Amino acid sequence: APLVMNLTRPERVQPAPGVLHVVPANGGGVDRCVRDLCRWRASDAIVHVTDTQHVLEWPGSGTFVPLDAALLSDLALGGNWGRPAAVHAHSTAAPVRQFCQTLCGATGVPWVLTLHDIGFTEPAASPFEREQRLRFARAAAARTAPSAYIVDVVQRSLDGAPCRLVENGVDHWADASPGTTCAAAPEGCFSIAVIGAIGEHKGLNTLLEFAVHLPPTLRVVIIGYTAQQLLPGWAVPDRVWMHGVFEPCDLPTLVRRYAVQWAFFPPGVPESYSYALSDAWLAGLPVAVPD
C-alpha cells in the first residue's frame, strides 16, 4: 500500500537526488505535463503546494507524504528535505514561490521555471502580486515555455530575459480502456464537441450563448465537465450535453459514440500548449479555434 504519513516532527522526506517539481494543487495541463516528465525520470518527485499543506508525491511508487506548510522552513533548514538536483517550479503563484525560495535558500539548489500560461502577467492581480510574480520569474536559473506565444510574452514582460521553447508534446494513446461508457447519453448525434474542463476563463459563457443560436440539428457535447457541473447531464436542455470525466485514450470511442464531426474551442484566455487540441487531432477531428 502507498505510504501516507502526516509529519509533525522533522523527518527525511526526500530519498533521492532527482528533480523536485513544484505545482499548484489545481491539476489540468500542468499536472499532465509534470506526470509525463516523471514517467521519463523515475527519480523525480512532485510537491503539490497550497497555503496550508504540501503533499510530496513519488509517482513511480505511489507514495504520498502530507506536510503542514508551517513546517517547511524547519524541515528545509534542518536538511530534512535532502538536496534535490534542482527544483522545477511550474507556476508563479504565491505558495509555489514561497516553497521554492525557502527550500532553495536553505539548500543552495537552483530553481528553474516553466511558464505554462500567462498567469505570471495576470492583469487582475494587485500591482504588488504582479511584481512578485515577475521578480520570481527573473530570479529563476532558467525559464522555459511550451509555446512561441508564451516565450514572446515572457521576453517582453522580463525585458528580454531568455526563455527557451520546450513544447510539451503528447504520446499516441494505447487502446481505449474497456470501462469506456456513455450509458447516460441521450440518443442522436452531437455534431460538435468541446473537449476538456471548461470554465469561464476557457470560454464557458461564450459556448453556452453560441449553442443557443445553433440550428436544432446541431447539438454540442462537452467531453469533459464545466466549472458549474461535474456529472453527466444537460448543460442546456436539448442543446448541450455534458459527458463528464474521461480518459484521453477513450476520446476516439466517445467521438464515434456521439457522432462528432468537429471540435470547437470557445474563445477564452490566451492559451499556450493545448493538450485538448492535441487530443482532438489524435481523435481525427477537425477543429475551430481562436487565433
Side-chain angles (χ1 to χ4, degrees), residues 93-224:
V96 173
R97 297 197 310 264
Q98 181 181 8
F99 183 94
C100 294
Q101 290 165 342
T102 300
L103 182 59
C104 294
T107 62
V109 169
W111 80 77
V112 298
L113 173 64
T114 293
L115 293 152
H116 292 270
D117 53 45
I118 62 169
F120 68 99
T121 60
E122 175 58 57
S126 68
F128 175 81
E129 172 63 17
R130 188 171 183 274
E131 179 55 35
Q132 292 304 304
R133 294 180 187 184
L134 294 174
R135 182 176 297 178
F136 180 73
R138 290 188 191 98
R143 287 158 295 274
T144 70
S147 73
Y149 169 73
I150 299 294
V151 168
D152 181 62
V153 173
V154 172
Q155 292 177 335
R156 285 188 283 109
S157 301
L158 301 182
D159 301 320
C163 181
R164 182 180 177 186
L165 173 63
V166 181
E167 296 176 346
N168 296 346
V170 294
D171 292 329
H172 203 286
W173 310 307
D175 293 336
S177 66
T180 303
T181 178
C182 305
E187 294 298 323
C189 297
F190 290 81
S191 301
I192 304 167
V194 175
I195 298 168
I198 311 298
E200 283 77 6
H201 69 298
K202 295 279 189 177
L204 175 60
N205 294 334
T206 301
L207 167 64
L208 298 180
E209 181 179 352
F210 162 82
V212 168
H213 295 283
L214 289 172
T217 54
L218 293 180
R219 298 188 297 174
V220 177
V221 57
I222 299 174
I223 303 180

Side-chain angles (χ1 to χ4, degrees), residues 17-61:
V19 172
L20 189 62
H21 298 276
V22 186
V23 300
N26 54 6
V30 173
D31 187 76
R32 183 166 169 180
C33 172
V34 170
R35 293 188 182 281
D36 280 348
L37 291 172
C38 290
R39 285 209 316 272
W40 287 95
R41 297 178 48 87
S43 64
D44 285 6
I46 306 170
V47 58
H48 309 267
V49 299
T50 70
D51 290 327
T52 58
Q53 186 183 56
H54 305 323
V55 177
L56 180 64
E57 175 189 358
W58 287 277
S61 62

